[in-house]
Amino acid sequence: MSCGISKAGFLEQEAPRLENWLKKNQHGQMSYMENNFDKRLNPTLLVNGAKSVVSLLLNYYPSELQNQNSYKISKYAYGQDYHSVIKEKLKELLFSIQANIGEVNGRAFVDSAPVLDKAWAAKSGIGWIGKNSNLLTQQVGSFYFIAELIIDLELEYDHATTDHCGTCTACIDSCPTDAIVAPYIVDGSKCISYFTIELKDNIPSEMKGKFDDWAFGCDICQDVCPWNKFSKPHSEPLFNPNPELLSMSKKDWEEITEDTFKIIFKNSAIKRTKFEGIKRNINFLK
């Protein structure tokens, strides 16, 4: 777990970037990204009297990876859905702050409200936004969740760190769908994660053969990042996968029934695509 604190206020540098990204339709069918534009850029509109954004990272890098002869799912979805796991931890942290300091009002956010979490984490110095648009750290790479507590308490603020991507273009060169259209800019509508999770229509036929067996999400731009050589396994039991997931072969995925799907992925983020979505993805990969 890492923590950094920044002063709540308007994200001036992010405003034109977000506007440009939306204008170019790089969010595809993720229409929710168009909503609450002002709130995305200013947390004081989300929490009355907000003074501080406390950014937190929680590692999810697994100790064991899937069987190599398998359709792949993103490592973040191996265990229980991170939204509920982290929300509980954040509530405990807020209770602890209130118990030690007194009346502090705030809200916990885990990728479920209009908060630009990577921007706030970078502003608070716990990492920098890399060329693949993920938050990177020199200590543990990028396999972690980002969450925030936005509170009405003035604190000491941290400062942004420097960019350590250098001349490396591993993520750009490795993306099979060319979703990283320029350093630091990802066209979300071209990303394998978008096609396998967010897209509700059929996957475009021109993408056939480009998914490298990814059935839910994609970790390619993280797997090739040199900073992820420093990834260490997490210590959160709730993020441990059902052992059956790790041993599943392509045949197992192709023959999976809805009942088995519900057992193996009980409380998993994979349920976001529903059984029909996973079947669609696997049929596309076959």
Side-chain angles (χ1 to χ4, degrees):
M1 172 85 74
S2 303
C3 175
I5 303 168
S6 38
K7 186 181 170 73
F10 183 70
L11 288 169
E12 280 181 47
Q13 288 182 316
E14 293 300 321
R17 287 182 202 155
L18 178 59
E19 191 171 14
N20 200 32
W21 189 74
L22 291 168
K23 267 187 185 166
K24 289 184 174 175
N25 204 35
Q26 291 179 332
H27 57 309
Q29 287 185 9
M30 296 181 283
S31 55
Y32 58 84
M33 290 300 299
E34 299 163 30
N35 304 334
N36 302 304
F37 185 82
D38 294 340
K39 286 181 180 175
R40 259 175 224 287
L41 296 163
N42 192 348
T44 63
L45 300 175
L46 286 168
V47 175
N48 284 337
K51 291 192 170 63
S52 302
V53 179
V54 182
S55 293
L56 300 133
L57 305 182
L58 185 61
N59 179 22
Y60 65 80
Y61 191 76
S63 55
E64 240 187 305
L65 298 176
Q66 282 178 275
N67 168 13
Q68 285 190 313
N69 175 36
S70 183
Y71 294 115
K72 295 178 267 193
I73 69 166
S74 276
K75 297 172 191 66
Y76 81 83
Y78 275 23
Q80 281 195 29
D81 191 337
Y82 64 97
H83 294 92
S84 52
V85 175
I86 297 175
K87 206 72 181 263
E88 282 308 307
K89 292 181 186 296
L90 288 178
K91 282 179 187 169
E92 283 176 33
L93 176 58
L94 187 55
F95 289 146
S96 173
I97 291 169
Q98 290 164 337
N100 285 284
I101 294 170
E103 194 179 336
V104 176
N105 294 309
R107 284 177 66 190
F109 296 93
V110 189
D111 189 27
S112 55
V115 178
L116 293 177
D117 49 13
K118 288 182 282 192
W120 285 110
K123 199 174 166 71
S124 73
I126 47 180
W128 73 95
I129 295 176
K131 291 179 184 175
N132 59 6
S133 89
N134 285 314
L135 189 85
L136 307 178
T137 73
Q138 287 179 287
Q139 293 78 28
V140 289
S142 64
F143 288 107
Y144 43 72
F145 300 114
I146 309 173
E148 300 80 33
L149 267 187
I150 299 177
I151 52 178
D152 64 353
L153 180 69
E154 204 157 319
L155 297 164
E156 272 187 45
Y157 301 117
D158 299 301
H159 303 286
T161 185
T162 46
D163 184 313
H164 296 279
C165 284
T167 57
C168 177
T169 55
C171 58
I172 299 169
D173 302 337
S174 300
C175 178
T177 55
D178 299 319
I180 309 172
V181 291
Y184 311 101
I185 300 173
V186 172
D187 182 340
S189 71
K190 291 182 178 177
C191 180
I192 293 172
S193 288
Y194 168 77
F195 288 122
T196 56
I197 302 172
E198 300 286 349
L199 185 69
K200 302 305 173 222
D201 298 340
N202 289 329
I203 300 167
S205 55
E206 62 266 25
M207 289 294 147
K208 194 82 178 164
K210 292 187 176 182
F211 282 18
D212 192 31
D213 286 334
W214 286 96
F216 181 92
C218 176
D219 289 340
I220 292 173
C221 67
Q222 296 192 82
D223 286 335
V224 301
C225 177
W227 290 109
N228 278 320
K229 287 178 192 159
F230 304 107
S231 297
K232 297 177 182 74
H234 65 77
S235 55
E236 173 51 71
L238 295 175
F239 291 158
N240 290 335
N242 182 314
E244 280 189 57
L245 164 65
L246 300 180
S247 61
M248 281 174 75
S249 66
K250 283 186 175 177
K251 192 167 186 291
D252 293 329
W253 278 104
E254 287 163 12
E255 294 177 355
I256 194 169
T257 64
E258 191 159 5
D259 288 342
T260 305
F261 177 80
K262 283 176 178 170
I263 292 165
I264 295 178
F265 299 111
K266 189 185 178 196
N267 302 324
S268 160
I270 286 196
K271 285 163 84 175
R272 186 160 171 205
T273 61
K274 302 188 174 69
F275 177 67
E276 295 76 23
I278 282 289
K279 291 301 281 184
R280 176 202 66 173
N281 298 345
I282 286 165
N283 288 333
F284 183 78
L285 293 171
K286 274 160 56 178

